[in-house]
Amino acid sequence: MGEPQVDQNQLDQIGDFVKSHLGQWIQEQNISLFPVRDKSLDKELLERMIRVEEGLKNQMELTRQGFENMEKRFIERFEAVDKRFEAVDKRFEAVDKHFEAVDKHFEAVDKRFEDMQHYMDKRFNVQTWIISAGFAMMTILMSLYRFFG
């Protein structure tokens, strides 16, 4: 059984016909596009919508308060972190002062070492001179003893 073939042109003609007569058919059948509803149902729906709007309003207020509380907590946390950093800075300053004191102590030790080095250099110079003079004297005495003796 063969199916009848309908081309696009025929479909367009059928669509135009339906469009032009649709309004008339609806009026003849007495079909309303907007069905009549019960007034009590409308009132109930209106009350429900009001409750939903109030609920949304309350939810928005709670959300806003939650964000404000979160912002306050963030500010408190940042202030606590700032205080901790200030405490760490103070500790670093104390450590810096301690290192400065140690540096001053080492400078004093270095000065004492240099003073001791100068003292020892002078002492060794004197001892070297005395030893050299002693050897010179012994050499002279030995030469004289050999010459006269």
Side-chain angles (χ1 to χ4, degrees):
M1 306 223 177
E3 294 182 21
Q5 297 281 334
V6 179
D7 66 354
Q8 186 63 35
N9 188 24
Q10 289 175 336
L11 287 175
D12 289 340
Q13 287 176 357
I14 293 170
D16 290 340
F17 179 78
V18 170
K19 284 180 190 175
S20 65
H21 291 88
L22 185 62
Q24 177 186 355
W25 294 339
I26 290 175
Q27 285 177 354
E28 288 175 0
Q29 295 295 323
N30 198 12
I31 299 173
S32 173
L33 292 177
F34 303 103
V36 177
R37 297 192 327 205
D38 187 11
K39 296 263 185 201
S40 64
L41 181 64
D42 287 344
K43 187 176 180 183
E44 184 180 321
L45 288 175
L46 184 61
E47 288 174 359
R48 279 179 150 179
M49 287 185 343
I50 290 171
R51 283 194 302 258
V52 168
E53 285 178 354
E54 288 175 356
L56 287 174
K57 191 182 215 181
N58 288 336
Q59 189 65 37
M60 288 296 290
E61 180 64 25
L62 289 173
T63 304
R64 188 184 59 76
Q65 287 176 354
F67 280 121
E68 287 175 0
N69 291 339
M70 216 169 19
E71 184 177 352
K72 288 177 185 176
R73 281 184 269 161
F74 278 134
I75 290 171
E76 290 172 359
R77 295 290 182 203
F78 285 134
E79 289 172 354
V81 168
D82 286 344
K83 287 179 183 178
R84 287 183 181 174
F85 277 119
E86 288 173 6
V88 169
D89 287 344
K90 288 179 183 178
R91 283 188 225 136
F92 277 126
E93 289 172 5
V95 168
D96 286 344
K97 288 179 183 177
H98 178 70
F99 281 132
E100 288 173 6
V102 169
D103 284 344
K104 287 180 183 177
H105 177 71
F106 279 124
E107 288 173 5
V109 168
D110 286 345
K111 186 174 182 333
R112 283 177 32 207
F113 181 74
E114 288 174 5
D115 292 344
M116 181 61 85
Q117 189 176 8
H118 289 299
Y119 171 75
M120 294 303 287
D121 286 345
K122 287 180 186 177
R123 192 166 177 194
F124 285 130
N125 286 338
V126 170
Q127 286 179 351
T128 304
W129 186 80
I130 290 172
I131 291 171
S132 297
F135 278 121
M137 191 69 130
M138 298 253 311
T139 304
I140 291 172
L141 286 174
M142 285 172 54
S143 296
L144 285 176
Y145 176 70
R146 192 168 204 195
F147 185 69
F148 289 119

